[in-house]
DNA sequence: AGAACATATCGATAAGCGTCGATGTCTTGA
DNA sequence: TCAAGACATCGACGCTTATCGATATGTTCT
């Protein structure tokens, strides 16, 4: 080390690294948030979410949703399940029909998190 | 039609459907936004994005990023490419090193869009 | 020119995901 | 009790994706 200290190259003085100005997202936080984004990251589910939230009262019947897409009924059912499982929509059965309701706090929280990184 | 009008069932009067209170996301808009969300919808890319934005000046060298993960260098390079291709980060080569810069307007716009649906 | 280093690209593999038709479950009205 | 309708679940198919090791590209120092 005493020998090589004579040949200190500029590479070590002009380090490529810059310091952090704030704390980045932790690994556990990232693994908690990513599934929410993944649930939204599909054109059909994005439209489903918007369609539900755009209905009066923030809720919509599955029959309404099925008609809005050129997709089979099982496919829509699958997408609704994905959104429900991550907590973006609530599910309520009323008689023969099933209503899905947008959880606006969840969406707002997610939007705030994404915006924070910017 | 004149005949069946006599047997109007309650089903048609008690419709399951509720009207829209605003215009939902269009198909083309959904297909434009979904790829952005898909790029973010991965724990590693989410942390990469946050890590870059958290560095001083909003930019970070790849060497910094590689060290922050227990993943191979090609894998990190792949994730950076995905974020770059959808326009969430900019790429600039300076000498031997490559710097990625967060495009905060893109992130802010995405956050606003997600929040609008809520 | 050649060595060392930083980063990107390639090819392969395994896992995940969107979609469908067929079928099951539950509710309502006859 | 039975038939019809609304929605969910299942199993299968093809496509996408996350990851890696090996290798290519480009830059700087000797």
């Amino acid at each position: 080390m005493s020998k090589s200290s004579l040949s200190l190259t500029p590479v070590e003085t002009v380090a490529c690294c810059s310091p952090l100005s704030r704390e980045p997202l932790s690994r556990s936080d990232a693994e908690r948030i990513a599934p929410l984004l993944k649930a939204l990251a599909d054109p059909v589910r994005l439209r489903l979410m918007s369609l539900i939230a755009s209905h009066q009262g923030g809720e919509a019947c599955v029959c309404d949703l099925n008609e809005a897409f050129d997709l089979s009924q099982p496919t829509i059912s699958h997408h609704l399940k994905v959104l429900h499982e991550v907590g973006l929509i609530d599910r309520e059965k009323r008689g023969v029909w099933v209503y899905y309701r947008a959880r606006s706090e969840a969406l707002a929280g997610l939007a705030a998190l994404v915006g924070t990184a910017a």
Side-chain angles (χ1 to χ4, degrees), chain A residues 25-91:
Chain A
L25 206 60
S26 73
R27 189 151 89 95
S28 55
D29 280 349
E31 286 171 351
R32 192 172 40 94
I33 299 167
L36 286 179
L37 289 169
K38 191 174 271 182
L40 269 188
D42 177 278
V44 175
R45 288 197 292 269
L46 207 49
R47 285 180 63 201
L48 275 173
M49 195 73 206
S50 168
L51 199 50
I52 293 171
S54 298
H55 265 80
Q56 240 174 31
E59 71 175 17
C61 172
V62 174
C63 56
D64 279 338
L65 306 174
N66 277 328
E67 289 174 3
F69 297 86
D70 270 344
L71 292 170
S72 70
Q73 174 263 323
T75 297
I76 299 297
S77 188
H78 160 71
H79 285 305
L80 288 170
K81 185 181 184 183
V82 171
L83 289 171
H84 176 60
E85 282 176 342
V86 299
L88 284 174
I89 55 179
D90 278 335
R91 182 183 186 278

